Amino acid sequence: MTTSNTPQDRLKRAAARAAIDHLLPGEVVGVGSGSTVNFFIEELGARRNQFPTAVSSSSGSTERLRAQGINVLDLNEVIAAGRRIPVYVDGADEINASLQMVKGGGGALTREKIVAAASERFVCIVDRSKWVECLGRFPLPVEVIPMAVELVCARLRLIGGVPTVREGKVTDNGNLILDVAGLSITQPDLLEAEINQWAGVVTVGLFARQPASVALVATPEGVEERRAAGAAPATR
Ligand code: 5RP
């Protein structure tokens, strides 16, 4: 049970609760990671009869889901059985008006991108502090194979980044996280494609080529449902 109750926590919980209306009862729920998602997991647990199964994006979320009595399925088994994951719910470190995101503040970006890719819709739950005009103020997380850290750092410096290795963090996949400051991310989809194809990079924390389907942005006045400008409703 999440006990802290700051004004920001209340917004996170409001966004998390609003996500419940986007789920399909009886179907597998894709679950992200982070403090906002932790509130979502609590909301899900309170409705476990309607939503008994999930696919998780991190060991931390798996543990919390199981503590709520939710059955966590292996993604490969779900796909092999031809089952759907209609909705993936996750937070973000930053999100823009095109619903492109920076993610990975918790270091779970690779599994988050995998479960998001396996899901039909991405519902992003954030408090209003995450809504930005231009991505890049939050240092961009990049998951890297340990032997390639210096190689990838050198390439990041060439494009104007200032990378630091996240201290004490080993991902669920046994890799390291670089946090890259100083990047001005004017074309998130191009930067995502570029960094992703460098040798040694597992995943860059830009979720731009597959943005969210909808953002539930919690403000003190209520939760706003925002879609990408020009996007058809309920598509991804
Ligand atoms: C974890 C993530 C999280 O979604 C992101 O860091 C936001 O976390 P929080 O809800 O705690 O602010 O990408 O890898």
Side-chain angles (χ1 to χ4, degrees):
M1 172 83 179
T2 309
T3 48
S4 84
N5 194 25
T6 63
Q8 192 182 19
D9 286 338
R10 288 197 284 278
L11 295 182
K12 288 179 181 185
R13 185 179 284 285
R17 191 169 289 154
I20 296 290
D21 291 340
H22 290 254
L23 305 180
L24 297 183
E27 299 281 1
V28 180
V29 182
V31 178
S33 305
S35 58
T36 314
V37 165
N38 290 345
F39 288 115
F40 174 69
I41 292 173
E42 288 180 13
E43 298 292 330
L44 213 50
R47 298 162 181 83
R48 70 177 75 81
N49 291 342
Q50 278 180 285
F51 308 109
T53 50
V55 167
S56 168
S57 61
S58 65
S59 52
S61 289
T62 298
E63 206 173 296
R64 285 172 182 268
L65 284 160
R66 290 197 171 131
Q68 292 287 341
I70 293 168
N71 186 19
V72 180
L73 303 177
D74 179 81
L75 177 63
N76 285 316
E77 285 171 23
V78 170
I79 292 176
R83 293 187 71 179
R84 318 166 54 201
I85 310 174
V87 179
Y88 174 71
V89 178
D90 201 355
D93 299 302
E94 290 184 335
I95 182 164
N96 68 14
S98 302
L99 305 192
Q100 298 168 314
M101 297 158 282
V102 166
K103 291 184 45 55
L109 60 162
T110 298
R111 293 186 185 205
E112 290 171 346
K113 214 176 250 195
I114 292 169
V115 183
S119 305
E120 292 163 23
R121 302 185 67 230
F122 186 141
V123 174
C124 183
I125 50 175
V126 287
D127 65 82
R128 63 177 177 181
S129 69
K130 308 295 184 64
W131 191 262
V132 297
E133 218 161 274
C134 180
L135 302 176
R137 204 180 36 188
F138 188 92
L140 180 65
V142 183
E143 181 167 351
V144 179
I145 302 278
M147 75 168 283
V149 161
E150 288 307 325
L151 177 69
V152 174
C153 281
R155 296 201 73 158
L156 286 164
R157 286 188 197 102
L158 283 178
I159 61 165
V162 182
T164 49
V165 180
R166 195 178 297 179
E167 224 170 286
K169 178 71 187 178
V170 176
T171 70
D172 284 349
N173 313 306
N175 298 314
L176 300 175
I177 298 285
L178 297 176
D179 291 304
V180 190
L183 292 174
S184 130
I185 307 180
T186 51
Q187 293 182 296
D189 48 345
L190 296 185
L191 190 62
E192 179 182 6
E194 175 173 357
I195 296 178
N196 257 345
Q197 48 91 28
W198 292 350
V201 169
V202 179
T203 310
V204 62
L206 273 169
F207 287 54
R209 299 174 82 82
Q210 280 201 305
S213 319
V214 62
L216 304 179
V217 184
T219 75
E221 289 72 44
V223 178
E224 294 172 13
E225 201 170 298
R226 299 186 189 171
R227 291 176 197 277
T235 56
R236 186 165 175 215

